[in-house]
Amino acid sequence: MLRAPSRLGSRLEVVPRAVLKRALSGRRRRPAHPRRILVAHQLLLGDTLMLTPLLARLRRRHPQAQIVMTVSRRQLSLYAPRPYGVATLAYDSRDRKSMRTLLEQGPFDLAVVPGDNRHAMLALALDSSWVVALAGDRPGWKNWLADELVPVPTEPIALSDLFALLAGEEDDAVFEPGDWPRPESSPFELPRRDYAVLNVDAGSPLRLWQPHKWLQVADALARTGLEVAFCAGPGEERMVEAIDPQRRHRSYAGALDLLQLWRLLEGARLLVCVDSGASHLAKLARTPSVVLYGPGSPVLFGPGRFWRNHPCRAVTIADFPCRDQNRVFKREVSWVRRCQRSLAECPAPACMHAIEVDAVLANCQALLR
Protein backbone atom coordinates (compact mmCIF):
# COMPACT_ATOMS: atom_id res chain seq x y z
CA MET A 1 0.00 0.00 0.00
CA LEU A 2 1.38 3.41 -0.99
CA ARG A 3 1.74 5.94 1.80
CA ALA A 4 0.81 9.58 1.33
CA PRO A 5 3.74 12.02 1.51
CA SER A 6 4.28 13.45 4.98
CA ARG A 7 5.98 16.61 6.20
CA LEU A 8 7.14 14.78 9.34
CA GLY A 9 9.87 12.88 7.52
CA SER A 10 11.15 16.07 5.89
CA ARG A 11 11.14 17.89 9.21
CA LEU A 12 13.23 15.12 10.70
CA GLU A 13 15.75 15.83 7.95
CA VAL A 14 15.68 19.63 8.33
CA VAL A 15 15.10 20.64 11.97
CA PRO A 16 18.04 18.88 13.70
CA ARG A 17 20.38 19.99 10.95
CA ALA A 18 19.15 23.59 11.13
CA VAL A 19 19.54 23.73 14.91
CA LEU A 20 23.06 22.31 14.71
CA LYS A 21 24.14 24.69 11.94
CA ARG A 22 22.78 27.69 13.84
CA ALA A 23 24.45 26.61 17.08
CA LEU A 24 27.84 26.17 15.39
CA SER A 25 27.71 29.36 13.31
CA GLY A 26 28.92 31.66 16.11
CA ARG A 27 28.45 35.39 15.61
CA ARG A 28 26.58 35.97 12.37
CA ARG A 29 27.30 38.84 9.97
CA ARG A 30 25.58 39.90 6.78
CA PRO A 31 27.94 39.25 3.83
CA ALA A 32 28.85 42.38 1.88
CA HIS A 33 29.40 40.44 -1.37
CA PRO A 34 27.52 37.12 -1.25
CA ARG A 35 28.73 34.56 -3.74
CA ARG A 36 25.82 32.12 -3.34
CA ILE A 37 22.24 33.27 -2.69
CA LEU A 38 19.24 31.08 -1.86
CA VAL A 39 15.58 32.04 -2.32
CA ALA A 40 13.67 29.53 -0.18
CA HIS A 41 9.89 29.13 -0.43
CA GLN A 42 7.06 26.78 -1.35
CA LEU A 43 4.62 29.16 -3.04
CA LEU A 44 1.91 28.42 -5.57
CA LEU A 45 2.33 29.41 -9.22
CA GLY A 46 0.97 32.96 -9.04
CA ASP A 47 2.94 33.90 -5.94
CA THR A 48 6.08 32.30 -7.36
CA LEU A 49 5.81 34.41 -10.52
CA MET A 50 5.40 37.48 -8.31
CA LEU A 51 8.92 36.81 -7.01
CA THR A 52 10.27 38.01 -10.38
CA PRO A 53 11.04 41.58 -9.15
CA LEU A 54 12.96 40.05 -6.24
CA LEU A 55 15.07 37.94 -8.59
CA ALA A 56 15.70 40.92 -10.85
CA ARG A 57 16.80 43.11 -7.94
CA LEU A 58 19.04 40.40 -6.47
CA ARG A 59 20.75 40.09 -9.84
CA ARG A 60 21.26 43.85 -10.15
CA ARG A 61 22.66 44.11 -6.62
CA HIS A 62 24.82 40.99 -6.91
CA PRO A 63 25.76 40.58 -10.59
CA GLN A 64 28.42 37.92 -9.97
CA ALA A 65 26.52 35.79 -7.46
CA GLN A 66 25.05 32.36 -8.07
CA ILE A 67 21.31 32.60 -7.29
CA VAL A 68 19.33 29.43 -6.56
CA MET A 69 15.57 29.30 -5.95
CA THR A 70 13.31 26.47 -4.78
CA VAL A 71 10.17 25.83 -6.86
CA SER A 72 7.63 23.05 -7.20
CA ARG A 73 8.44 20.33 -9.70
CA ARG A 74 5.59 21.53 -11.94
CA GLN A 75 7.16 25.00 -12.14
CA LEU A 76 10.65 23.86 -13.15
CA SER A 77 9.99 24.06 -16.89
CA LEU A 78 9.06 27.76 -16.68
CA TYR A 79 12.51 28.55 -15.30
CA ALA A 80 14.45 26.46 -17.82
CA PRO A 81 15.77 29.61 -19.62
CA ARG A 82 17.25 30.71 -16.25
CA PRO A 83 15.72 34.21 -16.08
CA TYR A 84 18.15 36.66 -14.43
CA GLY A 85 20.64 33.79 -14.33
CA VAL A 86 18.65 32.02 -11.60
CA ALA A 87 18.93 28.26 -11.18
CA THR A 88 15.97 26.37 -9.72
CA LEU A 89 15.68 23.29 -7.53
CA ALA A 90 12.56 21.19 -6.94
CA TYR A 91 11.27 21.46 -3.37
CA ASP A 92 8.33 19.68 -1.76
CA SER A 93 8.26 19.71 2.03
CA ARG A 94 6.28 16.44 1.95
CA ASP A 95 8.92 14.60 -0.10
CA ARG A 96 11.78 13.33 2.05
CA LYS A 97 13.80 12.18 -0.96
CA SER A 98 13.74 15.59 -2.66
CA MET A 99 14.59 17.18 0.68
CA ARG A 100 17.71 15.06 1.00
CA THR A 101 18.78 16.09 -2.50
CA LEU A 102 18.17 19.74 -1.66
CA LEU A 103 20.19 19.56 1.54
CA GLU A 104 23.28 18.69 -0.51
CA GLN A 105 23.22 22.12 -2.18
CA GLY A 106 24.60 24.27 0.67
CA PRO A 107 26.29 26.29 1.95
CA PHE A 108 24.93 29.74 1.00
CA ASP A 109 26.16 33.18 1.98
CA LEU A 110 22.70 34.78 1.88
CA ALA A 111 19.19 33.35 2.03
CA VAL A 112 15.96 35.21 1.26
CA VAL A 113 12.67 33.84 2.57
CA PRO A 114 9.49 35.30 1.02
CA GLY A 115 6.12 34.21 2.38
CA ASP A 116 6.13 31.77 5.29
CA ASN A 117 9.13 32.25 7.58
CA ARG A 118 9.20 28.57 8.48
CA HIS A 119 11.30 28.15 5.35
CA ALA A 120 14.07 29.96 7.21
CA MET A 121 14.56 26.57 8.86
CA LEU A 122 15.42 25.14 5.44
CA ALA A 123 17.81 28.04 4.82
CA LEU A 124 19.58 27.33 8.11
CA ALA A 125 19.75 23.61 7.33
CA LEU A 126 21.48 24.56 4.09
CA ASP A 127 24.10 26.41 6.14
CA SER A 128 23.07 29.93 5.09
CA SER A 129 25.25 32.56 6.76
CA TRP A 130 22.53 35.26 6.81
CA VAL A 131 18.75 34.88 6.48
CA VAL A 132 16.43 37.74 5.43
CA ALA A 133 12.64 37.47 5.77
CA LEU A 134 9.52 39.63 6.06
CA ALA A 135 8.59 40.72 9.58
CA GLY A 136 5.35 39.92 11.36
CA ASP A 137 4.81 36.22 10.63
CA ARG A 138 2.75 34.16 13.05
CA PRO A 139 3.36 32.36 15.31
CA GLY A 140 6.21 34.56 16.43
CA TRP A 141 8.80 31.79 16.80
CA LYS A 142 9.16 31.68 13.01
CA ASN A 143 10.58 35.22 13.04
CA TRP A 144 13.36 34.17 15.43
CA LEU A 145 14.83 32.00 12.68
CA ALA A 146 15.79 35.02 10.54
CA ASP A 147 18.81 37.27 11.06
CA GLU A 148 17.11 40.26 9.44
CA LEU A 149 13.40 41.11 9.29
CA VAL A 150 12.15 43.55 6.64
CA PRO A 151 9.01 45.43 7.77
CA VAL A 152 5.91 45.47 5.57
CA PRO A 153 5.34 49.06 4.37
CA THR A 154 2.53 51.05 5.97
CA GLU A 155 1.39 52.28 2.54
CA PRO A 156 -0.23 50.07 -0.15
CA ILE A 157 2.20 48.15 -2.32
CA ALA A 158 1.88 45.26 -4.77
CA LEU A 159 2.96 41.90 -3.37
CA SER A 160 5.54 41.58 -6.17
CA ASP A 161 7.17 44.88 -5.12
CA LEU A 162 6.93 43.85 -1.45
CA PHE A 163 8.88 40.68 -2.19
CA ALA A 164 11.54 42.77 -3.95
CA LEU A 165 12.17 44.75 -0.75
CA LEU A 166 13.88 41.63 0.61
CA ALA A 167 16.71 42.41 -1.82
CA GLY A 168 17.04 46.04 -0.76
CA GLU A 169 15.33 49.38 -1.05
CA GLU A 170 12.94 50.31 -3.88
CA ASP A 171 14.35 51.18 -7.30
CA ASP A 172 12.78 52.09 -10.64
CA ALA A 173 13.38 48.82 -12.50
CA VAL A 174 10.73 47.48 -14.86
CA PHE A 175 10.20 44.07 -16.43
CA GLU A 176 11.91 43.56 -19.77
CA PRO A 177 10.67 40.56 -21.82
CA GLY A 178 14.20 39.72 -22.95
CA ASP A 179 15.13 38.90 -19.36
CA TRP A 180 12.81 35.87 -19.47
CA PRO A 181 12.62 34.18 -22.89
CA ARG A 182 9.69 31.82 -23.35
CA PRO A 183 10.79 28.16 -23.16
CA GLU A 184 9.89 26.00 -26.14
CA SER A 185 6.63 24.15 -25.67
CA SER A 186 5.35 20.91 -27.14
CA PRO A 187 3.42 21.44 -30.39
CA PHE A 188 -0.34 21.98 -30.21
CA GLU A 189 -2.96 23.52 -32.47
CA LEU A 190 -3.30 27.28 -32.09
CA PRO A 191 -6.39 29.25 -33.15
CA ARG A 192 -6.33 30.12 -36.84
CA ARG A 193 -7.17 33.82 -36.57
CA ASP A 194 -6.98 36.63 -33.99
CA TYR A 195 -8.20 35.23 -30.70
CA ALA A 196 -9.05 35.92 -27.08
CA VAL A 197 -8.41 33.51 -24.21
CA LEU A 198 -10.91 33.09 -21.38
CA ASN A 199 -9.21 31.29 -18.48
CA VAL A 200 -12.10 30.34 -16.21
CA ASP A 201 -10.65 28.31 -13.34
CA ALA A 202 -9.12 29.43 -10.05
CA GLY A 203 -7.41 28.02 -7.00
CA SER A 204 -10.55 28.50 -4.91
CA PRO A 205 -14.26 28.01 -5.71
CA LEU A 206 -14.83 31.42 -4.11
CA ARG A 207 -13.01 33.07 -7.03
CA LEU A 208 -15.16 31.51 -9.76
CA TRP A 209 -17.52 33.58 -11.93
CA GLN A 210 -20.94 32.34 -13.02
CA PRO A 211 -20.96 30.13 -16.15
CA HIS A 212 -23.67 32.11 -17.99
CA LYS A 213 -21.62 35.30 -17.64
CA TRP A 214 -18.54 33.66 -19.12
CA LEU A 215 -20.60 32.55 -22.12
CA GLN A 216 -22.01 36.04 -22.59
CA VAL A 217 -18.48 37.47 -22.66
CA ALA A 218 -17.35 34.75 -25.09
CA ASP A 219 -20.25 35.38 -27.45
CA ALA A 220 -19.73 39.15 -27.34
CA LEU A 221 -16.03 38.83 -28.16
CA ALA A 222 -16.82 36.41 -30.99
CA ARG A 223 -19.14 39.02 -32.49
CA THR A 224 -16.17 41.39 -32.77
CA GLY A 225 -14.45 38.88 -35.07
CA LEU A 226 -12.18 37.25 -32.49
CA GLU A 227 -11.97 33.50 -32.09
CA VAL A 228 -12.60 32.60 -28.44
CA ALA A 229 -10.60 29.92 -26.64
CA PHE A 230 -11.63 28.70 -23.18
CA CYS A 231 -8.91 27.48 -20.83
CA ALA A 232 -8.95 25.62 -17.53
CA GLY A 233 -6.43 23.45 -15.75
CA PRO A 234 -6.17 19.65 -15.59
CA GLY A 235 -9.34 18.06 -14.26
CA GLU A 236 -11.45 21.16 -14.92
CA GLU A 237 -12.89 20.11 -18.27
CA ARG A 238 -16.41 19.96 -16.84
CA MET A 239 -16.15 23.60 -15.87
CA VAL A 240 -15.93 24.62 -19.53
CA GLU A 241 -18.62 22.08 -20.48
CA ALA A 242 -20.95 23.78 -18.00
CA ILE A 243 -20.16 27.20 -19.49
CA ASP A 244 -20.44 26.20 -23.15
CA PRO A 245 -22.46 22.96 -23.37
CA GLN A 246 -23.12 23.47 -27.09
CA ARG A 247 -19.37 23.90 -27.74
CA ARG A 248 -19.75 27.13 -29.66
CA HIS A 249 -16.16 28.05 -28.85
CA ARG A 250 -12.80 26.30 -28.83
CA SER A 251 -11.71 24.72 -25.53
CA TYR A 252 -8.22 23.89 -24.27
CA ALA A 253 -9.51 22.78 -20.87
CA GLY A 254 -7.19 20.20 -19.33
CA ALA A 255 -5.13 20.00 -22.52
CA LEU A 256 -2.21 22.39 -21.95
CA ASP A 257 0.84 22.37 -19.72
CA LEU A 258 2.31 25.63 -18.40
CA LEU A 259 4.61 26.17 -21.38
CA GLN A 260 1.79 25.61 -23.85
CA LEU A 261 -0.42 28.01 -21.89
CA TRP A 262 2.36 30.64 -22.09
CA ARG A 263 2.55 30.07 -25.86
CA LEU A 264 -1.22 30.41 -26.19
CA LEU A 265 -1.27 33.63 -24.16
CA GLU A 266 1.66 35.05 -26.11
CA GLY A 267 -0.34 35.06 -29.34
CA ALA A 268 -3.65 36.25 -27.86
CA ARG A 269 -5.10 39.69 -28.46
CA LEU A 270 -6.71 39.52 -25.02
CA LEU A 271 -6.94 37.43 -21.84
CA VAL A 272 -9.97 37.50 -19.55
CA CYS A 273 -9.47 35.62 -16.30
CA VAL A 274 -10.01 35.66 -12.57
CA ASP A 275 -7.19 36.45 -10.15
CA SER A 276 -5.09 33.31 -10.67
CA GLY A 277 -1.76 31.97 -11.88
CA ALA A 278 -2.84 32.66 -15.47
CA SER A 279 -3.12 36.39 -14.75
CA HIS A 280 0.52 36.43 -13.62
CA LEU A 281 1.75 34.23 -16.47
CA ALA A 282 0.19 36.80 -18.81
CA LYS A 283 2.69 39.37 -17.49
CA LEU A 284 5.53 37.26 -18.90
CA ALA A 285 3.65 36.78 -22.19
CA ARG A 286 2.76 40.51 -22.35
CA THR A 287 -0.88 39.62 -22.99
CA PRO A 288 -3.41 42.46 -22.52
CA SER A 289 -5.48 41.23 -19.58
CA VAL A 290 -8.83 41.88 -17.94
CA VAL A 291 -8.68 40.38 -14.45
CA LEU A 292 -11.74 39.80 -12.25
CA TYR A 293 -11.10 40.37 -8.55
CA GLY A 294 -13.73 39.18 -6.09
CA PRO A 295 -12.23 38.23 -2.71
CA GLY A 296 -8.74 39.27 -3.82
CA SER A 297 -7.11 42.68 -3.84
CA PRO A 298 -6.21 44.38 -7.15
CA VAL A 299 -3.73 46.52 -5.22
CA LEU A 300 -1.93 43.56 -3.67
CA PHE A 301 -2.04 41.23 -6.68
CA GLY A 302 -1.96 43.77 -9.51
CA PRO A 303 1.00 44.83 -11.67
CA GLY A 304 2.66 47.21 -9.20
CA ARG A 305 5.78 49.17 -10.18
CA PHE A 306 7.81 46.38 -11.70
CA TRP A 307 5.01 45.29 -14.08
CA ARG A 308 3.67 48.81 -14.69
CA ASN A 309 4.01 48.52 -18.48
CA HIS A 310 1.76 45.46 -18.56
CA PRO A 311 -1.57 46.32 -20.28
CA CYS A 312 -4.02 45.24 -17.61
CA ARG A 313 -7.49 46.22 -16.37
CA ALA A 314 -8.91 45.18 -13.00
CA VAL A 315 -12.66 44.59 -12.63
CA THR A 316 -13.91 44.55 -9.06
CA ILE A 317 -16.57 45.98 -6.77
CA ALA A 318 -14.82 48.62 -4.68
CA ASP A 319 -15.33 48.48 -0.92
CA PHE A 320 -17.34 45.27 -1.03
CA PRO A 321 -18.58 44.95 2.57
CA CYS A 322 -17.27 41.46 3.38
CA ARG A 323 -13.89 42.04 1.76
CA ASP A 324 -12.68 43.07 5.18
CA GLN A 325 -9.73 40.85 6.13
CA ASN A 326 -6.19 42.18 6.20
CA ARG A 327 -3.83 39.23 6.38
CA VAL A 328 -0.94 38.52 4.01
CA PHE A 329 0.84 35.22 4.73
CA LYS A 330 -0.54 35.38 8.31
CA ARG A 331 0.73 38.95 8.77
CA GLU A 332 -1.71 41.67 9.81
CA VAL A 333 -1.39 44.52 7.28
CA SER A 334 -3.67 47.49 7.96
CA TRP A 335 -4.14 48.65 4.36
CA VAL A 336 -4.98 45.25 2.86
CA ARG A 337 -8.63 44.55 2.02
CA ARG A 338 -9.29 40.97 0.96
CA CYS A 339 -11.29 37.89 1.94
CA GLN A 340 -9.80 34.50 2.78
CA ARG A 341 -12.92 32.80 4.07
CA SER A 342 -13.60 29.13 3.42
CA LEU A 343 -16.61 27.56 1.71
CA ALA A 344 -17.98 26.71 5.15
CA GLU A 345 -17.95 30.41 6.02
CA CYS A 346 -19.03 31.69 2.58
CA PRO A 347 -21.01 29.14 0.55
CA ALA A 348 -21.45 31.52 -2.43
CA PRO A 349 -19.00 34.24 -3.55
CA ALA A 350 -21.25 37.32 -3.55
CA CYS A 351 -18.24 39.50 -4.45
CA MET A 352 -17.71 37.55 -7.69
CA HIS A 353 -21.42 37.35 -8.50
CA ALA A 354 -21.66 41.14 -8.18
CA ILE A 355 -19.32 41.62 -11.18
CA GLU A 356 -21.44 42.33 -14.25
CA VAL A 357 -20.80 41.35 -17.85
CA ASP A 358 -21.05 44.93 -19.11
CA ALA A 359 -18.17 46.05 -16.87
CA VAL A 360 -15.97 43.22 -18.12
CA LEU A 361 -16.78 43.90 -21.77
CA ALA A 362 -16.14 47.63 -21.39
CA ASN A 363 -12.62 46.87 -20.16
CA CYS A 364 -12.11 44.34 -22.95
CA GLN A 365 -13.06 46.94 -25.53
CA ALA A 366 -10.70 49.49 -23.99
CA LEU A 367 -7.75 47.09 -24.25
CA LEU A 368 -8.64 45.94 -27.76
CA ARG A 369 -8.69 49.53 -28.93
Side-chain angles (χ1 to χ4, degrees):
M1 179 177 176
L2 294 175
R3 294 184 178 179
S6 169
R7 287 191 174 92
L8 178 59
S10 297
R11 287 173 180 169
L12 292 175
E13 297 283 346
V14 170
V15 175
R17 182 166 175 162
V19 171
L20 180 62
K21 294 287 187 182
R22 184 65 182 259
L24 296 177
S25 63
R27 184 178 179 183
R28 296 169 67 84
R29 297 180 180 85
R30 182 182 179 110
H33 304 288
R35 293 172 296 177
R36 301 195 75 220
I37 301 173
L38 171 70
V39 180
H41 70 91
Q42 194 173 11
L43 297 170
L44 298 176
L45 174 63
D47 292 337
T48 301
L49 292 175
M50 282 192 283
L51 295 177
T52 306
L54 168 64
L55 302 180
R57 192 172 299 178
L58 284 172
R59 176 53 65 208
R60 290 192 303 276
R61 301 287 166 85
H62 309 288
Q64 303 304 319
Q66 179 189 15
I67 303 175
V68 177
M69 181 172 72
T70 60
V71 297
S72 71
R73 195 168 298 280
R74 178 171 177 257
Q75 297 166 9
L76 282 173
S77 60
L78 288 176
Y79 290 86
R82 297 185 61 142
Y84 307 102
V86 174
T88 50
L89 294 170
Y91 171 45
D92 183 346
S93 61
R94 300 166 300 177
D95 184 351
R96 194 169 184 175
K97 182 178 180 181
S98 72
M99 181 66 71
R100 286 176 174 172
T101 302
L102 186 59
L103 289 174
E104 298 172 356
Q105 304 301 316
F108 290 91
D109 304 301
L110 173 65
V112 177
V113 180
D116 193 326
N117 284 358
R118 68 185 172 88
H119 297 297
M121 189 71 73
L122 173 64
L124 292 171
L126 284 164
D127 199 11
S128 300
S129 300
W130 192 261
V131 180
V132 182
L134 290 172
D137 200 0
R138 296 186 179 186
W141 65 264
K142 292 191 287 186
N143 301 311
W144 304 342
L145 301 172
D147 299 287
E148 180 181 345
L149 293 170
V150 175
V152 177
T154 57
E155 298 295 325
I157 185 174
L159 182 61
S160 53
D161 297 326
L162 173 59
F163 283 148
L165 292 177
L166 292 167
E169 62 185 15
E170 185 69 73
D171 58 26
D172 204 38
V174 66
F175 177 68
E176 298 290 347
D179 293 332
W180 196 330
R182 176 179 57 83
E184 283 299 318
S185 63
S186 301
F188 68 102
E189 184 180 355
L190 287 163
R192 296 181 180 86
R193 64 177 191 273
D194 283 358
Y195 62 93
V197 175
L198 274 56
N199 196 91
V200 301
D201 68 346
S204 165
L206 296 178
R207 281 186 276 167
L208 297 178
W209 206 31
Q210 296 109 308
H212 71 277
K213 291 183 178 179
W214 278 118
L215 187 58
Q216 289 177 42
V217 170
D219 289 344
L221 291 174
R223 287 193 293 271
T224 70
L226 291 174
E227 185 174 352
V228 173
F230 282 113
C231 271
E236 303 294 349
E237 293 85 351
R238 290 184 179 179
M239 187 178 296
V240 173
E241 291 173 6
I243 293 170
D244 186 16
Q246 296 178 347
R247 301 185 180 182
R248 298 205 290 259
H249 306 288
R250 181 189 290 265
S251 174
Y252 290 98
L256 304 181
D257 59 29
L258 286 177
L259 300 189
Q260 291 171 321
L261 178 58
W262 185 343
R263 175 67 185 90
L264 181 70
L265 294 178
E266 186 179 64
R269 289 279 309 280
L270 179 72
L271 167 69
V272 185
C273 65
V274 300
D275 175 25
S276 63
S279 67
H280 301 291
L281 190 59
K283 297 170 184 174
L284 302 182
R286 301 299 294 269
T287 313
S289 304
V290 174
V291 184
L292 282 57
Y293 291 92
S297 164
V299 173
L300 192 63
F301 302 113
R305 290 176 57 83
F306 185 75
W307 305 97
R308 61 185 178 271
N309 290 339
H310 176 58
C312 179
R313 295 290 188 101
V315 185
T316 188
I317 306 298
D319 302 320
F320 202 82
C322 55
R323 194 190 297 118
D324 57 359
Q325 297 177 321
N326 64 347
R327 285 195 171 189
V328 181
F329 297 113
K330 300 183 180 179
R331 296 162 174 84
E332 301 286 346
V333 182
S334 61
W335 50 264
V336 168
R337 293 292 179 269
R338 63 187 301 202
C339 174
Q340 294 179 290
R341 292 176 175 86
S342 65
L343 277 173
E345 299 169 291
C346 177
C351 56
M352 288 298 300
H353 293 176
I355 296 174
E356 297 296 345
V357 170
D358 286 348
V360 174
L361 288 175
N363 283 277
C364 291
Q365 292 164 4
L367 284 180
L368 289 172
R369 282 197 298 267

